[in-house]
Amino acid sequence: MSMKFSKRSDHVKASDVRELLKVTQNPEIISFAGGFPAPELFPIEEMKIVCNTVLEEQGDKALQYSSTEGFLALRKTISSIMNNLGVSAFSEDIVITSGSQQCLDLTGKIFLDEGDIVICESPTYLAAISAFQCYLPRFVEVEMDDQGMKMDKLEAALKENSQAKFIYTIPDFQNPTGRTLSLERRKRIVELANEYDMFIIEDNPYGAIRFEGNNLPPIKHFDTEGRVIYVSTFSKTLTPGLRLGWVCANPEVLRKLVIFKQGADLNTNSFAQLKAVKYMELFDLEGHVSKIKEVYRKRKYAMLEAMDKHMPEYAKYTNPEGGLFIWVELPDYINAREVLAKSIENKVAFVPGGSFYPNGGHENTMRLNFSNMPEERIEEGIKRLAEVLKVLGRD
Ligand SMILES: Cc1ncc(COP(=O)(O)O)c(C=O)c1O
């Protein structure tokens, strides 16, 4: 039988890392791999009340199809979240998506033809690479430092690729590096987008999870021409299982996005949307997020302290002020995929950093997640990982 798959399906490959990481299901494994929130913090009791209340009060709506744009009540609540962030937005500027991941797919669909250029951070979010890759673009990576994407490098990339479709960036506690784009660079990236007639996709799932330092306004705060497509989610603040994200963008972009969303899933889960609204009506989401931040802050320090104590001198790592990840750079001669294979024997998992570079390379890097394991397991896991590194390293 000939399979008659599309050209794009030839380009999508199952990653070898995914195969290795299947073992993280085993509870004996100390996993620093997934970007998972801490499940013990999920508001399960509150959600039971929320589910019942929604079914009692609005069961007919919760179990019915709904508009592609999303329930007005949720879009209104999100517009006030956006206003509090310094982005002036009305409910009609918001569309609810099935996780922010769907928005990445839809933006790929509305902007990208084969061979088009996507400018992104180097490294960048793995599942954004997968989402965009379906549309067969070329990725131009822009080097980062501790302040995020380097603006001189971005400008050079824009000069060389003025026909690029958009800049994709994760400004706060970036996945995978944990780095945050500085205030000056937030202003500059908008200036550059204006100058080079470029859209910016600002993917911001982690901004609300700042546990240290001062809040920074989103890039969209500086957007004067409607070029910034702001994408966020309830996954890291409430629960990822609800699969609720949103996009705040200019009307033309939203119109296209809604047409493609109809083709993808007609509407975002009605019940989940009403649950989010009811949760925020009955309970204190901000208070809940404060608890999450306190736990993650402690876990980050547990990880950093264990790394300072056990890791070989040559390992360099970031110290994020929020989010879920620490990024590790090893000497060039160490391949993190080999480290993973060996550390899985020691029952520790992480994601090799090479996966986050759309054009490959950088196999000497690792992403460590600190949100999903209790402090004592973090210390033990880092100790075991450091043992593997000491065997593979030259000091
Ligand atoms: C940078 C980034 N964008 C988007 C997502 C997708 O989030 P969700 O689809 O759960 O909203 C994630 C998830 O980890 C992420 O790290």
Side-chain angles (χ1 to χ4, degrees):
M1 181 173 57
S2 66
M3 297 309 288
K4 304 182 195 296
F5 289 140
S6 68
K7 199 155 75 172
R8 83 171 50 90
S9 78
D10 284 345
H11 284 74
V12 289
K13 294 185 250 80
S15 96
D16 46 345
V17 173
R18 280 223 168 270
E19 291 307 306
L20 269 175
L21 292 178
K22 277 188 187 153
V23 299
T24 60
Q25 313 280 340
N26 174 351
E28 277 182 32
I29 297 270
I30 300 178
S31 179
F32 302 139
F36 286 13
E40 62 277 24
L41 297 176
F42 291 155
I44 295 174
E45 291 309 313
E46 290 89 335
M47 274 298 174
K48 286 184 194 166
I49 297 169
V50 164
C51 282
N52 278 335
T53 315
V54 168
L55 287 173
E56 272 164 24
E57 292 177 356
Q58 296 164 283
D60 55 341
K61 284 199 189 125
L63 303 178
Q64 187 57 281
Y65 291 114
S66 53
S67 78
T68 307
E69 288 83 352
F71 279 108
L72 188 60
L74 183 57
R75 294 161 73 206
K76 267 192 185 153
T77 311
I78 291 171
S79 72
S80 59
I81 294 176
M82 297 298 304
N83 284 312
N84 288 340
L85 292 174
V87 174
S88 104
F90 298 98
S91 50
E92 54 270 31
D93 302 318
I94 312 288
V95 167
I96 311 296
T97 53
S98 300
S100 51
Q101 188 64 33
Q102 181 181 47
C103 192
L104 300 181
D105 178 52
L106 294 174
T107 45
K109 229 175 218 166
I110 67 177
F111 285 112
L112 299 176
D113 292 309
E114 183 173 353
D116 279 349
I117 291 167
V118 170
I119 297 183
C120 63
E121 283 142 357
S122 180
T124 188
Y125 171 47
L126 177 55
I129 302 175
S130 315
F132 300 146
Q133 213 144 41
C134 290
Y135 307 102
L136 309 178
R138 194 158 67 74
F139 291 91
V140 171
E141 299 176 41
V142 177
E143 205 180 303
M144 304 175 82
D145 61 16
D146 280 341
Q147 309 282 303
M149 207 187 258
K150 291 184 177 173
M151 289 299 118
D152 55 336
K153 302 282 182 194
L154 174 62
E155 187 164 15
L158 288 167
K159 258 191 197 135
E160 231 176 84
N161 301 282
S162 57
Q163 75 286 24
K165 286 296 180 73
F166 56 78
I167 304 163
Y168 170 71
T169 176
I170 306 149
D172 290 26
F173 324 120
Q174 195 230 21
N175 182 359
T177 62
R179 290 171 181 143
T180 292
L181 191 70
S182 69
L183 182 62
E184 280 316 304
R185 290 188 190 179
R186 285 169 198 244
K187 295 178 190 162
R188 182 68 185 139
I189 196 172
V190 173
E191 282 171 10
L192 287 171
N194 289 345
E195 192 179 333
Y196 287 88
D197 190 20
M198 204 65 52
F199 276 102
I200 298 174
I201 299 179
E202 176 178 22
D203 184 8
N204 200 335
Y206 303 110
I209 315 291
R210 174 181 280 281
F211 40 68
E212 282 165 349
N214 297 322
N215 283 329
L216 290 171
I219 297 171
K220 187 146 185 70
H221 171 75
F222 301 104
D223 182 16
T224 48
E225 299 184 1
R227 296 182 174 281
V228 180
I229 299 169
Y230 181 94
V231 181
S232 192
T233 179
F234 288 103
S235 288
K236 314 296 173 179
T237 51
L238 194 46
T239 75
L242 284 176
R243 306 307 302 127
L244 285 180
W246 72 87
V247 47
C248 174
N250 88 39
E252 265 180 89
V253 170
L254 290 185
R255 211 170 300 128
K256 283 270 185 242
L257 200 128
V258 163
I259 293 169
F260 280 109
K261 182 170 164 61
Q262 281 163 358
D265 63 356
L266 300 180
N267 64 265
T268 300
N269 186 317
S270 310
F271 195 10
Q273 292 186 59
L274 293 178
K275 280 189 275 192
V277 174
K278 190 53 73 181
Y279 177 90
M280 289 184 276
E281 220 176 275
L282 297 182
F283 300 101
D284 172 17
L285 180 60
E286 254 181 59
H288 176 64
V289 174
S290 300
K291 283 188 216 149
I292 294 176
K293 291 196 284 194
E294 190 45 27
V295 171
Y296 290 5
R297 192 181 64 79
K298 287 189 183 141
R299 290 182 181 184
K300 179 198 79 165
Y301 279 111
M303 185 168 273
L304 284 180
E305 278 160 25
M307 290 172 87
D308 290 346
K309 195 156 132 200
H310 302 291
M311 284 278 185
E313 276 286 296
Y314 58 66
K316 303 280 172 264
Y317 33 87
T318 54
N319 179 355
E321 293 186 323
L324 276 60
F325 305 109
I326 288 174
W327 180 247
V328 186
E329 290 182 4
L330 303 168
D332 288 344
Y333 65 87
I334 297 186
N335 185 318
R337 291 179 205 270
E338 255 176 66
V339 178
L340 176 63
K342 294 231 174 335
S343 63
I344 279 180
E345 290 167 20
N346 284 4
K347 301 207 162 28
V348 182
F350 63 89
V351 183
S355 309
F356 299 93
Y357 293 87
N359 300 313
H362 308 267
E363 294 295 350
N364 58 323
T365 55
M366 313 193 283
R367 189 194 73 177
L368 303 182
N369 165 270
F370 54 78
S371 59
N372 192 235
M373 285 283 138
E375 285 156 60
E376 38 328 324
R377 296 200 89 202
I378 290 178
E379 151 109 59
E380 177 56 30
I382 292 294
K383 214 154 95 185
R384 292 188 205 169
L385 184 56
E387 277 158 22
V388 173
L389 288 177
K390 280 176 194 152
V391 172
L392 291 174
R394 291 186 193 145
D395 75 6

